[in-house]
Amino acid sequence: MRSDNVKKGDQAAPARSLFNALGFTREEMKKPMVGVVSSYNEIVPGHMNIDKIVEAVKLGVAEAGGMPVVFPAIAVCDGIAMGHIGMKYSLVTRDLIADSTECMALAHQFDALVMVPNCDKNVPGLLMAAARVNIPTVFVSGGPMLAGHVHGKKRSLSSMFEAVGEKAAGKIDEAELDYFDEHVCPTCGSCSGMYTANSMNCLTEAIGMGLKGNGTIPAVYSERLRLAKTAGYRVMEMYEKNICPRDIMTEKAFMNAMTVDMALGCSTNTMLHLPAIAHECGIRLDMEIANEVSAKTPNLCHLAPAGHTYMEDLNEAGGVYAVMNELSKKGLLNLDCITVTGKTVGENIKDCVNRDTETIRPIDDPYLNEGGIAVLKGNIAPDTGIVKRSAVVPEMMVHEGPARVFDCEEDAISAILGGKINSGDVVVIRYEGPKGGPGMREMLNPTSAIAGMGLGSSVALITDGRFSGASRGASIGHVSPEAAVGGPIALIEEGDIIKIDIPNNSLNVDVSDEVLKERKEKWQPKKPNVDTGYLQRYQRLVTSGNRGAVLELP
């Protein structure tokens, strides 16, 4: 046991005395020490129930012969952080979570880990840590929120953000806005659509690090407590078999995750997180491959905000494994990958049937013949631009219009809510990338304002920032290289004609190479907008969005 380093022999006597101070018995100290990484807090709705999940995990670990020991991980609520300086601190927590968990796990010599995350950066941050530490690890999340009900219709957080735009356009009054905010988020859990948190929790199943139902069982269901106990049992089995995260998170497993991503219509943020997790596994996951995967992977699900079904519906339809079973019918998955169950993907999904062919379309009758995410390239985005194709209305798949240029999110929001954006415009928000933000803020407020004001079918938005999974419409993010490093998005001028062609994966400004070269010669970098604290360090170390915004020493 790795934990013998702190439990056995004369040299470990001081550490044993501290375990005694913690109340551990001699019998407990003979057992494998399992860290239970708790993301519980009282500020994130998706995390307020995690204390109960953690207690169930501890019981499962103890029953299976381990010594469970809880330590914390932080988490930010993107919905609360949205639209102000707080969003600069969202993506950056992914690395803080990975770093702090690595420190705790190795400093105290744990033998195994159970990760209990739920929301946006919490899941990928802990997956990154799992890859680094590489001891037997199982994921069990806090679970998704049930959908809200507004005037008899299911609703979620994206509806709430769009209601703000509706009020600005005079479509609803303050009383109606109040009614929305009291009814769209009715329970604990990660917000109820296929947003980033639920996307990443679903992908823990696809990549093999989470048990069946981890991404879809609602937070308030007792079934999730049973799942948590099972996670405790499974991690002890993994310990006995010495199955570690890098045995599971192989290149083939990442291809499975990408394929399921395309079928589910996940958040575009997965295109940041999967490369970052792969990087920790020593695997280069180039976003160029996304279009290849998309071209052969049908989009089987249109969950909110792309459609009118929610996580609870996906769960009832059979969950992620049912989607994977549909994909396997066309040979689209690597079925021999090992998972935390100790079985292969093929063994896990073979009996998982699709119980609702509207929530999960059959493989021969998909919503789209291609996957939910597309990578665009062109003279605006020589490296990448990312769009959630499954959430774009047909009339905006090809669009051409004048650029309306803003150097920060706040200026764009003022223009949109002030009625200064017109049908046909292409809103450009730049200097919001990983370095430029810093922190690559999500643009849910502007996309929701555009949709709420009735412009979702006629106005596009491009940015070197990113989008919440709750965004919908022709919203193209992760434009790389970003403006802060002199990427072409920094050279766009007001009124330039932007040409978007999602079916052909292209994003261009109708300006000659010669003119762009002249503009580049005149371009001056902006001074760093932070000069202290964690954001300053992050700004210096972070790489481009097309590389997953991973940190590297200069």
Side-chain angles (χ1 to χ4, degrees):
M1 288 189 292
R2 179 187 296 222
S3 62
D4 285 349
N5 291 329
V6 293
K7 293 188 299 186
K8 283 189 175 182
D10 292 348
Q11 293 298 315
R16 283 198 303 274
S17 71
L18 294 169
F19 282 119
N20 289 331
L22 288 165
F24 294 152
T25 65
R26 294 287 178 178
E27 288 76 13
E28 284 178 310
M29 282 191 270
K30 293 176 184 177
K31 298 175 181 179
M33 188 165 66
V34 180
V36 182
V37 186
S38 171
S39 304
Y40 169 76
N41 64 45
E42 295 182 343
I43 191 63
V44 185
H47 292 237
M48 62 184 287
N49 65 314
I50 279 179
D51 55 339
K52 296 175 177 60
I53 305 294
V54 165
E55 289 304 312
V57 169
K58 288 173 64 180
L59 185 57
V61 168
E63 286 181 347
M67 182 176 79
V69 183
V70 177
F71 66 87
I74 64 167
V76 164
C77 178
D78 279 14
I80 295 173
M82 195 73 66
H84 55 89
I85 192 175
M87 182 45 67
K88 292 179 185 286
Y89 287 91
S90 170
L91 178 60
V92 305
T93 64
R94 185 185 71 183
D95 297 275
L96 283 173
I97 291 162
D99 293 348
S100 59
T101 304
E102 173 194 358
C103 291
M104 289 293 288
L106 294 179
H108 302 103
Q109 294 292 282
F110 286 100
D111 297 301
L113 297 168
V114 179
M115 305 292 199
V116 191
N118 211 26
C119 289
D120 296 38
K121 265 51 70 189
N122 197 231
V123 184
L126 290 179
L127 282 165
M128 289 163 69
R132 289 184 197 173
V133 177
N134 203 35
I135 57 177
T137 303
V138 175
F139 274 68
V140 57
S141 75
M145 184 184 291
L146 293 176
H149 291 266
V150 178
H151 304 310
K153 293 183 179 180
K154 284 185 177 181
R155 299 288 187 181
S156 60
L157 186 65
S158 52
S159 306
M160 186 69 249
F161 276 89
E162 290 178 15
V164 175
E166 290 176 11
K167 183 174 183 294
K171 295 181 179 181
I172 63 172
D173 59 18
E174 190 162 348
E176 180 69 358
L177 188 68
D178 289 345
Y179 186 82
F180 262 80
D181 77 47
E182 289 172 357
H183 291 88
V184 296
C185 295
T187 69
C188 62
S190 47
C191 297
S192 55
M194 188 53 80
Y195 309 151
T196 306
N198 293 326
S199 295
M200 291 307 304
N201 281 321
C202 285
L203 294 187
T204 64
E205 293 187 53
I207 208 167
M209 292 295 292
L211 300 173
K212 180 179 183 289
N214 184 52
T216 60
I217 298 169
V220 295
Y221 284 13
S222 296
E223 184 181 358
R224 185 153 290 276
L225 296 177
R226 298 197 299 272
L227 183 73
K229 291 175 186 175
T230 304
Y233 305 152
R234 292 292 172 267
V235 80
M236 294 308 299
E237 290 179 7
M238 290 177 69
Y239 171 76
E240 293 297 330
K241 296 175 180 177
N242 194 32
I243 299 173
C244 296
R246 291 193 198 179
D247 300 323
I248 294 169
M249 292 193 288
T250 62
E251 189 170 352
K252 285 184 176 181
F254 279 102
M255 294 308 296
N256 281 348
M258 259 203 166
T259 300
V260 175
D261 188 334
M262 296 298 176
L264 286 172
C266 289
S267 163
T268 52
N269 281 317
T270 60
M271 297 294 106
L272 277 176
H273 299 322
L274 288 175
I277 299 160
H279 177 76
E280 299 294 347
C281 295
I283 297 168
R284 181 174 176 83
L285 193 63
D286 197 325
M287 285 300 93
E288 300 276 341
I289 204 168
N291 285 340
E292 294 178 32
V293 176
S294 180
K296 60 184 180 182
T297 307
N299 177 228
L300 305 182
C301 301
H302 265 194
L303 283 83
H308 301 290
T309 51
Y310 295 81
M311 295 307 296
E312 62 208 64
D313 302 311
L314 179 58
N315 188 62
E316 293 302 316
V320 176
Y321 276 19
V323 173
M324 294 175 75
N325 196 21
E326 288 289 343
L327 293 170
S328 71
K329 295 174 183 177
K330 295 285 188 180
L332 295 174
L333 295 175
N334 298 296
L335 299 180
D336 58 347
C337 293
I338 195 70
T339 72
V340 292
T341 65
K343 298 177 181 178
T344 64
V345 168
E347 290 172 316
N348 286 341
I349 68 174
K350 65 179 180 179
D351 296 321
C352 297
V353 299
N354 181 359
R355 301 189 190 95
D356 181 351
T357 55
E358 276 304 302
T359 300
I360 305 172
R361 286 282 183 89
I363 193 72
D364 292 320
D365 184 27
Y367 281 103
L368 297 168
N369 290 320
E370 295 179 296
I373 292 175
V375 177
L376 311 186
K377 298 187 77 170
N379 65 358
I380 295 175
D383 292 337
T384 55
I386 306 291
V387 64
K388 187 172 182 175
R389 173 170 40 206
S390 59
V392 179
V393 294
E395 54 267 39
M396 290 299 290
M397 295 296 280
V398 177
H399 180 75
E400 182 176 320
R404 305 297 308 279
V405 182
F406 305 94
D407 285 351
C408 67
E409 177 191 6
E410 288 82 358
D411 290 350
I413 282 285
S414 295
I416 296 165
L417 296 180
K420 297 178 181 177
I421 301 301
N422 303 310
S423 178
D425 286 349
V426 178
V427 176
V428 178
I429 306 178
R430 61 195 183 188
Y431 295 100
E432 289 286 6
K435 282 186 180 293
M440 206 177 185
R441 288 194 288 181
E442 290 183 341
M443 301 291 134
L444 179 55
N445 275 345
T447 58
S448 298
I450 287 169
M453 296 186 76
L455 296 171
S457 299
S458 61
V459 169
L461 190 153
I462 67 172
T463 180
D464 52 7
R466 61 196 178 94
F467 296 108
S468 164
S471 290
R472 62 186 177 97
S475 304
I476 301 161
H478 307 204
V479 170
S480 301
E482 62 174 293
V485 298
I489 191 172
L491 311 178
I492 298 172
E493 295 183 358
E494 186 82 6
D496 285 349
I497 299 301
I498 307 291
K499 295 182 176 181
I500 299 166
D501 188 341
I502 295 172
N504 288 304
N505 305 112
S506 70
L507 175 63
N508 290 286
V509 57
D510 192 14
V511 174
S512 70
D513 292 344
E514 291 76 18
V515 171
L516 287 176
K517 183 179 179 182
E518 289 173 7
R519 291 180 185 178
K520 181 63 182 286
E521 289 170 354
K522 296 176 183 177
W523 176 80
Q524 293 292 321
K526 286 194 168 189
K527 291 182 179 179
N529 53 9
V530 292
D531 57 9
T532 188
Y534 181 61
L535 284 182
Q536 182 189 42
R537 280 175 278 149
Y538 184 87
Q539 189 171 52
R540 289 177 179 175
L541 300 177
V542 71
T543 61
S544 176
N546 70 302
R547 294 184 54 200
V550 297
L551 303 186
E552 286 186 351
L553 293 174

